[in-house]
């Protein structure tokens, strides 16, 4: 199984492709140097296979590379960061 995670700025989301099929996405709203993640969705055919976790990990790694921050409004993104505190430094301070 090959996976690819890529940003789709036209749709404001990071997508995960599994064997060239769109398996899921995590949507964001750009606010300057901060991305507000609002929703994560995985196609039912790919649920229970770690696709969502792989998607969030790849997305957070890309955010770190870009040097931007995020606000995890999506419960799945927030829970992933709670379980993986090495990404906590990417969370922007809330006003």
């Amino acid at each position: 199984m090959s996976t690819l995670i890529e940003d789709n700025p036209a749709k404001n989301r990071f997508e995960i492709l599994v064997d060239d099929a769109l398996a899921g996405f995590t949507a964001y709203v750009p606010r300057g140097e901060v991305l507000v993640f609002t929703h994560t969705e995985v196609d039912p055919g790919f649920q229970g296979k770690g696709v969502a976790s792989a998607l969030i990990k790849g997305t957070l790694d890309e955010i770190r590379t870009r040097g931007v921050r995020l606000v995890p409004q999506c419960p799945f993104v927030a829970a992933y960061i709670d379980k993986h505190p090495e990404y906590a430094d990417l969370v922007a301070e809330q006003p």
Side-chain angles (χ1 to χ4, degrees):
M1 180 170 80
S2 69
T3 60
L4 173 68
I5 296 158
E6 58 188 9
D7 190 6
N8 183 341
K11 293 187 176 181
N12 287 341
R13 67 189 195 180
F14 281 85
E15 300 173 340
I16 185 166
L17 302 173
V18 176
D19 296 331
D20 297 324
L22 179 63
F25 65 88
T26 184
Y28 62 84
V29 177
R31 292 211 178 116
E33 293 296 305
V34 175
L35 299 179
V36 180
F37 283 86
T38 57
H39 179 69
T40 300
E41 191 172 308
V42 172
D43 182 275
F46 292 97
Q47 290 177 359
K49 298 178 180 174
V51 170
S53 292
L55 169 61
I56 302 307
K57 180 185 185 318
T59 298
L60 294 173
D61 289 342
E62 176 62 24
I63 287 171
R64 186 179 304 287
T65 299
R66 293 182 187 184
V68 297
R69 308 286 291 256
L70 74 128
V71 174
Q73 286 183 353
C74 168
F76 190 86
V77 175
Y80 186 91
I81 293 170
D82 284 345
K83 290 178 190 163
H84 299 88
E86 64 271 24
Y87 293 109
D89 64 306
L90 298 176
V91 177
E93 293 294 322
Q94 295 279 51

